Amino acid sequence: MALAHGKDKHDDDDAFPTPPAKVTVGGSPQFLVHQQLGKGGFGQVLKGVRAFPRASKDPHKPMHVAIKFEHKTSKGLTSKGVPYEWDIYQQLGDTPGLPMLLHKGFQDNFCVMIMELLGKSLWDICNVPHRTSLSEQYAACVAVECLSILEGIHEKGYVHGDVKPENLCLGAEVNGSEKKLFLVDLGLASKWRNQFRHLEYSQRPDDFRGTIRYASVHAHLGRQTSRRDDLESLGYTLIFLLNGELPWQGFTGDNKGFLVAKQKVSTSLEALCSRCSPPFQQFLEYAISLSFKETPNYKACQKLFEPLLGDPSTRKLAVDYGVHAGKVGQKRQRHPSFEETAMTHDLTLDKDGNLRKKLRTGFPAQQFLTIYDHRDTQKQRYHYNVSTTRLDTHISVGRADNLVITAVASYNELWLVVMDADPRVKDQRHIVTDNSHLRTSRPSESCATELLPREWISQYWDRGYFITAIAGSKSWQAMVVMTKGRPYQQQSYKVSAHFPCEWVRRKHSDGFMVTCCATIGSRDNYYWVVVVTAGAGFETQAVELDFVYPSEAIHHYWDRGYRITSVGASPDQIAVVMSLAPGYAAEAPQETLRTSTFPATHIKEKWDKDLYIAAACFGPMVS
Ligand SMILES: Nc1ncnc2c1ncn2[C@@H]1O[C@H](COP(=O)(O)OP(=O)(O)OP(=O)(O)O)[C@@H](O)[C@H]1O
């Protein structure tokens, strides 16, 4: 999975084209271009001073401005050739806490945006020669103010999408606003609602937008952005400002995004916040417990930080969150208390009144995930803890009883085989590849296709068989089951170091659907195998990839009539494939079970309810 497309300001040092020395755009007065104030992935921001000073108290006619230059060849432009950010400013321009947009236009191959001049960013404040961190009082003021700004942006239907110390600036001294907080850079802002409807949940696991260090885990996983993501990024920003570092710094290379995301999920909030007062941990616990469509309780979060704000005269940053809460003409809303919020999030208050939720405890756990479908009485048998040498014996006993293999999984060098009575099946073959020569070395990506028995598969494809189950062991063994009698038309598979999201998307558009997935290999050294089939009988499909069991997404798709049709897990991630088929009755139940050992006793209970194992895998479920 290519998660590393994100930008990390400190990684790229590209030279920008030199901007003009004087600027006049969109009816603005002429500004002389002075020193650089900052730069980002797409442009650079320089100070501008009016060429012909004329004193004015009108904030729209300042002497000093900030000018953002974006070259016409920048990747941040829309198809209309204007910076994406301009459109967003149009919608959000007057939101409190955003710098005022004064003029915009084109000059000398640059898109030019003239805006209210601000002061230092919080990154600049901390990134001095001996690196300083902010006091808890300062960070609490930042939290309260940033929450107000985010509330204002969210109320207008947008998510900022890139909350980080570089984008949080103080006002400019020349404007007398040096104790006020601003949020800059709307280049990654996106809508969370259209008119009055929340955008639908979706995931594109290889599509990352944001800054890797501060991005929410949902953003790493390519989930449709929603309000919760800004709060999670604010949480990481606060910890960075307090500690001067985050535990996931230092990763490099193509796989950086993936490694950072993995580290975020496996860092307990307790460890992350161990050097901070409880409100910072409580805030992060709340942020990561928010559901996709949930409206954050901004006021309750601000209340959390109140005990740390101290006396107003000692604050380096003014706190005036009332500005946004009580705007003229705005209806007063009742905001639930944090205790009420705690109840709805299943967060518990400990004896000191602190919120506790067992989220991101940092304990990695390997679990069985078994999926159960409703079927009218069905004969099913399963064999678990089967060693490779005993595999054929169990399977042949099942075959003698007219059972065929419907699901396989591997765990701790043992196999799980599920066999069903399925009169549609005309014949079935299976193979377990040896691949023992690979035990000492990881095959290169180009040789990895050899992990599956290519010739054996081709031979059976030619005879009308299709792959119907697949599993891979830690010692590079692959088990492939091919069945004759399925109404499939065509099949193809891919072996790849990351879940091949882009390939699956292309296959989806060609009418192929994922019908099996698994991994082969061990921790930090494995390959995904994904099988796609034309004629699988599904209308559409969603592939959910996560570091933990993706409960929210599964419920989202269940509610829309999808059912889990295959699952696979690597030592880091789980892939849940959910499909929509004409035959799925909305009320037909499907259940999942997560257990640390094979759920032999539970299966009997499921059978009593006419629920039968449909898929299984063994994988990571970090809690
Ligand atoms: N109005 C302003 N006044 C003063 N400095 C500013 C102003 N706007 C931005 N800056 C500074 O310039 C830096 C880059 O600005 P901005 O983030 O808008 O550019 P970008 O190219 O979109 O960056 P990124 O790659 O982070 O998205 C900011 O981090 C901030 O320090």
Side-chain angles (χ1 to χ4, degrees):
M1 189 174 58
L3 282 169
H5 299 315
K7 54 205 172 77
D8 206 334
K9 183 173 177 158
H10 318 291
D11 290 344
D12 62 71
D13 231 349
D14 296 345
F16 285 102
T18 313
K22 293 175 189 167
V23 157
T24 322
V25 289
S28 75
Q30 192 177 67
F31 287 99
L32 303 176
V33 179
H34 283 227
Q35 77 273 24
Q36 184 172 281
L37 299 168
K39 64 176 179 169
F42 301 131
Q44 49 184 326
V45 181
L46 290 95
K47 188 173 173 179
V49 181
R50 263 169 82 156
F52 307 104
R54 208 170 287 143
S56 166
K57 287 211 164 110
D58 183 347
H60 291 91
K61 294 179 180 167
M63 282 281 290
H64 304 270
V65 292
I67 311 177
K68 185 166 179 176
F69 292 95
E70 208 163 329
H71 200 259
K72 278 188 168 169
T73 53
S74 156
K75 286 191 199 125
L77 304 191
T78 65
S79 53
K80 287 182 263 166
V82 297
Y84 173 75
E85 197 175 11
W86 289 10
D87 285 351
I88 309 287
Y89 257 107
Q90 197 80 23
Q91 313 294 323
L92 298 182
D94 61 345
T95 309
L98 298 188
M100 219 182 325
L101 172 64
L102 303 167
H103 305 276
K104 59 181 193 302
F106 303 94
Q107 188 178 319
D108 302 348
N109 284 328
F110 284 96
C111 306
V112 182
M113 190 164 89
I114 301 180
M115 52 184 162
E116 177 181 354
L117 177 70
L118 302 177
K120 282 185 175 169
S121 73
L122 297 183
W123 168 262
D124 297 331
I125 290 173
C126 294
N127 195 33
V128 286
H130 298 293
R131 274 220 163 182
T132 87
S133 42
L134 298 193
S135 67
E136 291 213 332
Q137 183 194 33
Y138 201 152
C141 295
V142 171
V144 169
E145 286 304 282
C146 190
L147 279 160
S148 289
I149 302 171
L150 291 175
E151 183 177 11
I153 295 175
H154 294 174
E155 270 174 5
K156 292 195 170 149
Y158 281 85
V159 172
H160 181 273
D162 202 15
V163 176
K164 57 181 178 181
E166 294 90 324
N167 286 342
L168 287 164
C169 293
L170 301 179
E173 250 178 276
V174 287
N175 297 333
S177 57
E178 68 275 20
K179 286 186 104 181
K180 195 169 150 39
L181 190 73
F182 291 85
L183 183 57
V184 299
D185 191 4
L186 298 176
L188 290 179
S190 60
K191 281 187 172 176
W192 63 266
R193 72 162 184 238
N194 247 336
Q195 304 285 3
F196 296 104
R197 276 179 79 92
H198 200 292
L199 294 186
E200 278 304 312
Y201 174 82
S202 64
Q203 191 196 28
R204 276 180 71 128
D206 52 352
D207 183 13
F208 174 75
R209 286 154 57 92
T211 301
I212 291 174
R213 192 183 293 173
Y214 306 98
S216 71
V217 171
H218 301 296
H220 279 285
L221 289 165
R223 298 209 161 107
Q224 171 69 45
T225 314
S226 74
R227 292 167 288 181
R228 62 183 179 181
D229 299 305
D230 279 344
L231 268 64
E232 189 174 332
S233 294
L234 172 60
Y236 299 143
T237 298
L238 295 172
I239 304 299
F240 178 85
L241 294 173
L242 286 169
N243 292 351
E245 61 185 359
L246 285 164
W248 40 84
Q249 282 174 234
F251 290 106
T252 52
D254 286 352
N255 214 14
K256 174 175 167 176
F258 175 80
L259 296 171
V260 168
K262 198 169 115 178
Q263 181 74 39
K264 278 182 191 167
V265 179
S266 49
T267 302
S268 75
L269 293 185
E270 211 156 25
L272 181 65
C273 307
S274 60
R275 291 186 263 157
C276 320
S277 295
F280 295 97
Q281 185 178 339
Q282 291 170 343
F283 173 64
L284 256 169
E285 279 170 350
Y286 173 70
I288 66 166
S289 73
L290 283 166
S291 59
F292 172 65
K293 290 189 180 177
E294 194 168 350
T295 305
N297 186 342
Y298 309 90
K299 299 287 170 290
C301 291
Q302 288 171 321
K303 259 191 153 42
L304 263 181
F305 293 103
E306 268 174 10
L308 303 176
L309 294 177
D311 186 80
S313 63
T314 62
R315 293 176 196 159
K316 290 199 171 137
L317 189 68
V319 174
D320 65 352
Y321 44 90
V323 169
H324 311 306
K327 269 184 283 168
V328 180
Q330 186 175 303
K331 268 196 198 157
R332 277 183 67 122
Q333 290 172 2
R334 195 190 90 82
H335 295 282
S337 69
F338 210 67
E339 285 71 17
E340 286 171 276
T341 308
M343 305 268 283
T344 54
H345 283 81
D346 193 26
L347 301 170
T348 50
L349 292 165
D350 67 14
K351 60 179 176 20
D352 303 320
N354 297 327
L355 280 169
R356 289 285 170 263
K357 180 165 186 173
K358 290 282 163 253
L359 275 171
R360 289 215 200 140
T361 56
F363 296 122
Q366 296 282 318
Q367 289 186 336
F368 273 101
L369 171 62
T370 38
I371 315 295
Y372 302 84
D373 276 350
H374 180 268
R375 290 183 213 141
D376 294 328
T377 337
Q378 154 109 42
K379 191 170 172 189
Q380 185 167 74
R381 190 178 293 169
Y382 58 84
H383 304 280
Y384 66 103
N385 290 351
V386 181
S387 64
T388 308
T389 47
R390 298 281 303 152
L391 205 51
D392 282 349
T393 316
H394 288 292
I395 293 173
S396 46
V397 171
R399 291 236 166 92
D401 289 339
N402 285 327
L403 299 180
V404 292
I405 302 168
T406 47
V408 291
S410 167
Y411 54 98
N412 302 332
E413 296 303 298
L414 297 167
W415 302 95
L416 161 72
V417 179
V418 180
M419 301 188 79
D420 283 359
D422 186 346
R424 295 169 305 169
V425 173
K426 298 200 169 36
D427 191 26
Q428 190 172 67
R429 302 296 159 112
H430 73 275
I431 191 169
V432 178
T433 59
D434 180 15
N435 292 336
S436 55
H437 58 289
L438 296 172
R439 266 171 219 193
T440 48
S441 64
R442 173 189 166 86
S444 67
E445 193 140 6
S446 56
C447 297
T449 46
E450 303 300 328
L451 286 169
L452 289 195
R454 203 163 40 166
E455 278 173 25
W456 183 85
I457 292 171
S458 299
Q459 178 195 331
Y460 280 101
W461 270 344
D462 290 346
R463 291 158 64 181
Y465 291 72
F466 289 96
I467 302 170
T468 50
I470 208 155
S473 79
K474 275 188 192 175
S475 53
W476 300 104
Q477 287 176 304
M479 178 168 174
V480 184
V481 180
M482 293 192 73
T483 305
K484 192 171 187 172
R486 287 282 159 90
Y488 294 169
Q489 290 151 7
Q490 212 186 328
Q491 206 161 51
S492 109
Y493 66 81
K494 186 165 179 74
V495 182
S496 109
H498 302 291
F499 193 93
C501 300
E502 173 59 30
W503 179 80
V504 167
R505 249 197 312 279
R506 265 188 284 121
K507 289 291 171 188
H508 275 166
S509 58
D510 291 343
F512 285 76
M513 297 283 157
V514 177
T515 44
C516 318
C517 62
T519 57
I520 309 177
S522 57
R523 178 162 284 282
D524 297 328
N525 201 7
Y526 59 84
Y527 280 93
W528 277 97
V529 180
V530 179
V531 180
V532 292
T533 306
F538 307 139
E539 274 171 22
T540 179
Q541 192 166 69
V543 181
E544 226 15 71
L545 208 58
D546 206 332
F547 293 96
V548 296
Y549 174 75
S551 174
E552 190 184 20
I554 290 174
H555 282 275
H556 168 85
Y557 287 110
W558 270 344
D559 291 348
R560 280 152 190 79
Y562 287 66
R563 295 290 176 269
I564 300 171
T565 47
S566 41
V567 285
S570 72
D572 308 308
Q573 286 198 298
I574 176 160
V576 178
V577 181
M578 299 195 70
S579 312
L580 191 66
Y584 293 163
E587 65 282 2
Q590 182 173 66
E591 291 183 10
T592 65
L593 206 57
R594 284 173 290 153
T595 47
S596 53
T597 54
F598 185 72
T601 48
H602 298 87
I603 289 173
K604 305 275 184 316
E605 291 160 22
K606 299 278 180 201
W607 283 351
D608 289 342
K609 294 194 285 176
D610 284 337
L611 287 164
Y612 296 90
I613 308 169
C617 69
F618 183 72
M621 312 285 157
V622 195
S623 57

